[in-house]
């Protein structure tokens, strides 16, 4: 039976779920996080969506702090939006940035820090850095419910841009230093520190031994087109998609409406199978008759994703 169970045998530490809006990323992420927590691994599920829904699905109030999920041992959740990431970045780096730059330019604290925080890719870099820190510190598995497709790709591409930006930065700041006739700038040291951080982030996230990207899609034309695009874009970042969750499949129709829907879906399932069946595992998740909310329902999702009782 096709499932995500092969991931259990690996040392992967981050499982990213991506795909277009509304296809079942949060549902699949939550079922997967539950799976690893139930195996006794300390697991964190992160949503980086602007409109996160982990609170709803786990029926636990979750915010931008890591929160234990009620009723599930080893499971923690976190909803973090880009603004919060930026706030944390400023808290972590703001004082040293200001201290370094205030020797050269006479500008208020907020303006200096805001200006530096606008560097291209810095936000994405920090998001990844934040996740990496969680892995090193507290968690054995991180399940990442990403924002709809385009953003994820941006996220993966930008640390590289940030690194390129940093490569230029010392030159820019040296020029500033010379202009103001200053003998020494601690800013070059900060840049060197950031460059090292960015490199660690890129190394970690581009290593398939650490990270797996799981595509979630639906058996409809849009789902198939979007999958093609995401898969080829990820390939440009050196990421292979080896698991595709086809969500909302009608398997046992018992009325005309569902028979018709199944007939509509089947060619698209077939297309995905023909195009990606060789290099990816296709997991078909049935359309369930109820809202997927709460731990009990999520156990069913887990069973579909990981083979469950059927083995
Ligand atoms: N297999 C399924 N059977 C029944 N309902 C489902 C199934 N999968 C998802 N749903 C429902 O569909 C809706 C969208 O699912 P979900 O929130 O997981 O998608 P998403 O990709 O995370 O969406 P978004 O892009 O908005 O974050 C939810 O109400 C969820 O309960
Ligand atoms: Mg979602």
């Amino acid at each position: 039976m096709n499932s995500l169970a092969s991931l259990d045998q690996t040392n992967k530490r981050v499982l990213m779920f991506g795909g277009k809006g509304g296809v079942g990323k949060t549902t699949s992420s939550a079922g997967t996080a539950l799976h690893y927590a139930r195996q006794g691994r300390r697991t964190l599920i992160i949503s980086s969506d602007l409109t996160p829904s982990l609170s709803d699905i786990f029926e636990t109030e979750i915010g931008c702090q890591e929160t234990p999920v009620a009723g599930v041992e080893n499971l923690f959740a976190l909803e973090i939006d880009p603004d919060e990431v930026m706030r944390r970045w400023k808290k972590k780096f703001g004082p040293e940035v200001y201290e370094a730059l205030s020797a050269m330019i006479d500008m208020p604290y907020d303006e200096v820090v805001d200006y530096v925080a606008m560097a291209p890719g810095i936000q994405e870099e920090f998001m990844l850095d934040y996740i990496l820190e969680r892995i090193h510190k507290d968690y054995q598995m991180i399940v990442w419910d990403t924002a709809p497709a385009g953003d994820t790709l941006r996220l993966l591409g930008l640390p590289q841009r940030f690194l390129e930006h940093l490569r230029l930065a010392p030159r820019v700041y040296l020029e500033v230093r010379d202009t103001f006739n200053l003998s020494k700038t601690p800013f070059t040291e900060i840049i060197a520190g950031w460059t090292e951080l960015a490199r660690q982030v890129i190394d970690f996230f581009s290593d398939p031994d650490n990270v797996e990207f799981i595509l979630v899609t639906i058996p409809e034309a849009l789902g198939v087109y979007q999958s093609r695009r995401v898969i080829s874009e990820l390939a440009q970042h050196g990421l292979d998609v080896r698991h595709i969750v086809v969500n909302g499949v009608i398997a046992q129709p018992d009325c005309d409406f569902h028979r018709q829907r199944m007939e509509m879906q089947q060619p698209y399932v077939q297309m995905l199978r023909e195009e990606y069946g060789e290099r990816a595992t296709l997991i078909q998740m049935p359309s369930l008759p109820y809202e997927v909310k709460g731990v009990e329902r999520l156990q069913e999702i887990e069973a579909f994703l990981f083979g469950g009782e059927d083995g």
Side-chain angles (χ1 to χ4, degrees), residues 19-28 49 51 53 57 145-148 216 247-249 285-293 301:
K20 77 182 191 83
V23 293
K25 296 179 294 297
T26 301
T27 305
S28 305
D49 208 325
T51 51
S53 42
I57 202 162
D145 175 19
T146 71
V216 185
N247 187 25
V249 175
M285 185 133 79
S287 173
L288 302 174
Y290 40 73
E291 220 181 342
V292 189
K293 248 178 118 178
I301 298 292

Side-chain angles (χ1 to χ4, degrees), residues 42-56:
R42 200 176 153 87
T43 302
L44 175 66
I45 178 167
I46 296 180
S47 163
S48 57
D49 208 325
L50 277 171
T51 51
S53 42
L54 296 182
S55 297
D56 282 341

Side-chain angles (χ1 to χ4, degrees), residues 153-178:
L153 295 163
R154 216 169 64 97
L155 196 76
L156 291 169
L158 277 175
Q160 194 61 46
R161 271 191 64 196
F162 181 54
L163 199 60
E164 280 154 22
H165 173 81
L166 289 178
R167 230 173 254 141
L168 284 174
R171 276 218 326 255
V172 174
Y173 296 110
L174 283 177
E175 236 164 74
V176 175
R177 186 195 64 178
D178 293 343

Side-chain angles (χ1 to χ4, degrees), residues 44-48 54 62-67 76-80 88 130 134:
L44 175 66
I45 178 167
I46 296 180
S47 163
S48 57
L54 296 182
I62 293 159
C64 59
Q65 301 294 333
E66 287 149 55
T67 309
F76 299 79
L78 168 70
E79 295 175 334
I80 192 161
R88 289 184 196 197
Y130 182 80
R134 300 271 90 56

